[in-house]
Amino acid sequence: MEQKPTNEASTEHNLEKTIHTDFQKSMSYGDYLHLDQILSSQHRLSNHHDEMLFIIIHQASELWMKLIIHELSAATECILENNLETSFKMLARVSRIQLQLIQSWNVLSTLTPAEYLEFRDKLGSSSGFQSYQNRLIEFALGHKNASSLAVYKHQKELFETMNKALNKPSIYDAAIHALAIRGLPIDQDALERDWSQNYEPNASVETAWLTVYRDVKQYWDLYELAEKLVDIGSQQQAWRFHHMNTVERIIGHKQGTGGSSGVPYLKRVLDHQFFPELLSLRTKL
């Protein structure tokens, strides 16, 4: 004789009585996240299956970049206010987000050269080089390049936003200010420089960081800040490398869709170092 399921078994797949199911007058998960807008924003310009991968990888990356900018901006303000400890959680979060972005290149690398060529011409002149959020991250980390704003001049509000970011102190400028606040001697040239210019190494800054690293107990918060920045700088370099490696794997040394030289340009970018004194001091310790 077939055994009838127990009450517990028969209700196993039923919703719990307390779960809300009527959303006529209340906000649902999809409403809160605006999923109707997000999930309807993937518009392939070809009929090729793998174009969806290409679109989603880049859209998801831009969302992660938005969070990085959010965290870096808040952390920079905290450091400028000499509130270093509050910035540490934000900076730790940034380095975790960067791991997500690095991993995304591994997913994109499943796209073969032949598959990409099926829809590459549909991209027109659009290119990842034009990602303004990636540019804002580079600005926030101290890698300034005024000429890069030219690609945004057709969008007045965006151009103004980019120009404002170009002329703001980077998180490293904020960290150098924190050194000075603690009484460590810093050249005025490093404290009152033209923020729109790419940061260049300064001997007084290196000496100050050396003092911090040689007396970690006294300068623990500055030491922790420095190591958080090294983490972020290293991850940004790793992201750049994986970007270059993925592009080389998929298109070789073809010119980029936006007119850049492609892989040669990405390799030149790798020569740039973030927070240079935090790396050079290691040789002198």
Side-chain angles (χ1 to χ4, degrees):
M1 178 183 286
E2 183 179 350
Q3 186 177 1
K4 291 184 178 181
T6 64
N7 289 338
E8 181 179 356
S10 64
T11 59
E12 181 181 358
H13 299 295
N14 293 334
L15 289 176
E16 296 177 5
K17 292 181 179 179
T18 55
I19 291 180
H20 196 78
T21 59
D22 183 3
F23 295 97
Q24 292 295 322
K25 297 181 180 180
S26 61
M27 179 173 62
S28 71
Y29 172 82
D31 295 333
Y32 175 68
L33 296 177
H34 296 280
L35 290 182
D36 54 341
Q37 296 175 38
I38 294 174
L39 299 180
S40 61
S41 296
Q42 294 72 47
H43 306 291
R44 288 183 294 168
L45 298 180
S46 73
N47 291 322
H48 198 274
H49 173 84
D50 293 309
E51 190 182 357
M52 184 63 77
L53 163 69
F54 191 82
I55 292 170
I56 289 177
I57 284 289
H58 287 86
Q59 287 183 340
S61 294
E62 290 293 336
L63 284 173
W64 283 125
M65 288 181 189
K66 183 172 184 175
L67 185 53
I68 286 179
I69 294 164
H70 176 71
E71 300 294 345
L72 284 178
S73 297
T76 300
E77 290 302 315
C78 287
I79 297 167
L80 287 171
E81 294 168 0
N82 201 29
N83 184 10
L84 305 190
E85 290 191 6
T86 301
S87 74
F88 296 160
K89 176 67 177 291
M90 301 167 185
L91 297 178
R93 183 175 291 160
V94 168
S95 63
R96 296 293 183 90
I97 298 167
Q98 289 173 308
L99 288 174
Q100 296 292 325
L101 287 169
I102 291 167
Q103 176 61 24
S104 71
W105 292 122
N106 294 331
V107 180
L108 186 59
S109 68
T110 63
L111 182 68
T112 68
E115 290 164 346
Y116 182 49
L117 286 174
E118 291 291 328
F119 62 85
R120 187 179 190 238
D121 64 318
K122 301 294 185 180
L123 303 181
S125 298
S126 65
S127 166
F129 176 82
Q130 298 149 15
S131 168
Y132 72 86
Q133 291 200 124
N134 182 51
R135 192 68 58 188
L136 286 173
I137 291 171
E138 296 266 326
F139 286 0
L141 298 179
H143 186 205
K144 304 290 184 73
N145 182 356
S147 65
S148 65
L149 267 62
V151 298
Y152 313 110
K153 62 185 179 182
H154 66 292
Q155 296 172 281
K156 184 179 178 181
E157 289 186 11
L158 177 57
F159 183 85
E160 291 174 354
T161 297
M162 299 296 293
N163 192 52
K164 183 178 179 180
L166 180 74
N167 287 278
K168 287 179 63 175
S170 71
I171 196 164
Y172 194 50
D173 292 314
I176 293 170
H177 178 74
L179 292 172
I181 289 293
R182 292 292 288 276
L184 295 164
I186 302 293
D187 292 344
Q188 283 300 115
D189 288 347
L191 294 171
E192 298 178 357
R193 67 186 194 87
D194 180 353
W195 309 125
S196 70
Q197 297 299 307
N198 190 41
Y199 180 80
E200 296 293 338
N202 180 282
S204 71
V205 173
E206 183 186 72
T207 300
W209 283 124
L210 276 167
T211 300
V212 169
Y213 274 73
R214 285 170 176 159
D215 194 348
V216 172
K217 187 175 181 181
Q218 180 179 350
Y219 299 106
W220 174 256
D221 54 349
L222 288 169
Y223 173 74
E224 183 71 9
L225 172 61
E227 286 298 294
K228 287 282 191 292
L229 292 178
V230 170
D231 287 343
I232 290 171
S234 296
Q235 298 281 43
Q236 191 69 6
Q237 283 290 65
W239 182 87
R240 287 169 164 182
F241 174 78
H242 279 77
H243 183 189
M244 179 274 296
N245 193 52
T246 303
V247 171
E248 187 171 39
R249 174 173 176 162
I250 296 175
I251 70 168
H253 285 253
K254 293 185 180 73
Q255 186 181 51
T257 49
S260 75
S261 58
V263 168
Y265 168 78
L266 296 174
K267 285 184 175 179
R268 287 198 304 274
V269 171
L270 284 172
D271 291 335
H272 170 266
Q273 287 185 330
F274 298 97
F275 325 132
E277 293 90 353
L278 293 180
L279 299 179
S280 64
L281 70 83
R282 282 156 163 74
T283 305
K284 298 184 179 180
L285 275 175

